[in-house]
Amino acid sequence: MENELQHRTVLLEEAVNALITRTDGVYVDGTFGRGGHSRAVLAKLGEAARLIAFDKDPQAIATARAIGDPRFEIVHESFASLAPALATRGIGRVAGVLLDLGVSSPQLDDPSRGFSFRADGPLDMRMDPTRGESASEWLARASQQELTEVIRDYGEERFAVQIAKALVARRAESDRLGPLDRTGELAEIVARAVKTREKGKDPATRTFQAIRIHVNQELAELQVVLEAALSSLEQGGRLVVISFHSLEDRIVKRFMQARASAPAVDRRLPIRAVDLPAAPLKIIGRVFASDAELDANPRARSAVMRVAERVAP
């Protein structure tokens, strides 16, 4: 309960206002978290509306199941399963899809989840601890090249090679020291390998981000859900995405820009402009947290919300 009380939903009013274009539609919250966006959406929808929410985290699912609203349904799956989940429920098109990416405050603040280097805990990092491979298990088997690529590409860490070497060296000591299975020790290994530190940022920040993204396949699932959301949107429906770091935002930005541009056609072909297929999306804009929200919730400082609308059938 304490973690839930500490959680503040980022860009709450801005996201809900951008998402809802009609109050009787079917909407999707792809990242229920602790339900801030979902509850605000339900508060603005009419009796005939419907909200389907997704989350991988069992704690989020438990919170969602306490919502006693017949218009609401929670799905214990990744948002990458959006298309089949809607099909199973007989839902063709939806009026809006909201995605609030990344890890939530309760997940970060709970040492037992292993997402944070600020307090020692088991090195897990899975959004759903009941499924898949933990961070500790992956670190125990990944090659030095794979470690380097993940830390470099997903963490944008310039000392990725040095960190990977240090992790492999630590693994060679597993018979004597036991497995690398605590967040505190991982943070210490990274701190020793990183030669210079960014002001105000822990040296383990980028490595923890990279491993979390890899373990949960966050960027791959984001690509899947963006395509599924576009295919699922009705004409006039909105796609609203809140990102918290450059890798996510870059994917969202490029996706929206690409789908908002008419397909390129060889000018030498005898095709009239009116016969060209229309771009499916129109970019509505992007929004950042207000000064007031930043004062109340410093974690909102990196948030970027992008909004696009389906304009072609």
Side-chain angles (χ1 to χ4, degrees):
M1 177 64 69
E2 181 181 354
N3 279 339
E4 289 181 28
L5 291 174
Q6 290 174 350
H7 180 63
R8 289 178 175 150
T9 305
V10 174
L11 293 167
L12 178 60
E13 291 185 10
E14 294 89 341
V16 174
N17 290 337
L19 178 73
I20 297 177
T21 54
R22 60 187 183 93
T23 59
D24 60 347
V26 178
Y27 289 87
V28 171
D29 181 353
T31 45
F32 178 82
R34 291 304 179 266
H37 284 125
S38 280
R39 291 186 182 90
V41 169
L42 287 168
K44 291 203 169 189
L45 294 182
E47 293 183 2
R50 191 172 177 187
L51 176 62
I52 312 295
F54 293 76
D55 211 292
K56 295 193 287 186
D57 189 332
Q59 294 178 3
I61 298 301
T63 299
R65 286 176 176 158
I67 295 179
D69 192 319
R71 302 170 299 167
F72 176 77
E73 180 181 358
I74 184 67
V75 181
H76 187 187
E77 295 288 348
S78 161
F79 55 37
S81 67
L82 172 66
L86 293 180
T88 298
R89 288 158 177 79
I91 299 172
R93 294 294 181 97
V94 299
V97 176
L98 171 63
L99 306 173
D100 182 3
L101 306 176
V103 62
S104 70
S105 296
Q107 290 170 325
L108 280 172
D109 295 338
D110 183 354
S112 71
R113 302 301 301 273
F115 288 110
S116 176
F117 46 79
R118 300 190 186 281
D120 186 49
L123 191 50
D124 194 304
M125 295 196 192
R126 289 172 293 176
M127 298 292 186
D128 185 347
T130 69
R131 305 175 187 178
E133 185 178 46
S134 71
S136 177
E137 291 168 336
W138 177 70
L139 289 170
R141 67 163 184 82
S143 68
Q144 183 172 313
Q145 180 179 350
E146 186 180 6
L147 289 166
T148 299
E149 291 173 351
V150 166
I151 296 169
R152 180 194 66 210
D153 296 345
Y154 294 163
E156 299 178 298
E157 172 60 74
R158 59 195 176 107
F159 294 106
V161 172
Q162 293 90 328
I163 295 169
K165 287 181 178 178
L167 290 170
V168 171
R170 167 60 178 83
R171 188 164 60 202
E173 297 290 314
S174 294
D175 289 343
R176 181 173 65 88
L177 300 176
L180 174 56
D181 59 4
R182 305 294 297 184
T183 57
E185 185 181 5
L186 174 59
E188 290 172 2
I189 292 171
V190 175
R192 289 194 297 268
V194 172
K195 304 304 180 186
T196 61
R197 306 184 184 194
E198 298 167 272
K199 185 177 180 180
K201 181 174 285 190
D202 190 286
T205 301
R206 294 179 180 275
T207 298
F208 269 67
Q209 171 186 294
I211 295 172
R212 188 204 82 219
I213 288 172
H214 175 75
V215 165
N216 294 287
Q217 292 295 292
E218 293 176 34
L219 301 186
E221 291 190 350
L222 176 57
Q223 296 276 18
V224 172
V225 75
L226 289 173
E227 292 288 358
L230 175 59
S231 299
S232 301
L233 283 175
E234 63 187 28
Q235 192 168 4
R238 294 280 182 88
L239 172 61
V240 179
V241 187
I242 303 172
S243 306
F244 289 86
H245 61 73
S246 59
L247 293 176
E248 296 170 336
D249 184 54
R250 196 176 304 137
I251 290 173
V252 176
K253 176 183 177 181
R254 290 175 177 173
F255 175 85
M256 289 184 174
Q257 287 179 337
R259 303 316 186 275
S261 302
V265 176
D266 191 331
R267 294 181 179 180
R268 296 169 295 180
L269 295 177
I271 301 176
R272 299 180 304 166
V274 294
D275 295 327
L276 294 175
L281 281 182
K282 176 179 72 175
I283 294 175
I284 302 300
R286 62 176 179 167
V287 178
F288 299 94
S290 65
D291 291 340
E293 181 167 8
L294 292 175
D295 288 340
N297 184 12
R299 282 179 175 165
R301 66 186 180 277
S302 58
V304 181
M305 184 178 83
R306 295 186 183 271
V307 184
E309 181 177 304
R310 176 144 197 159
V311 291

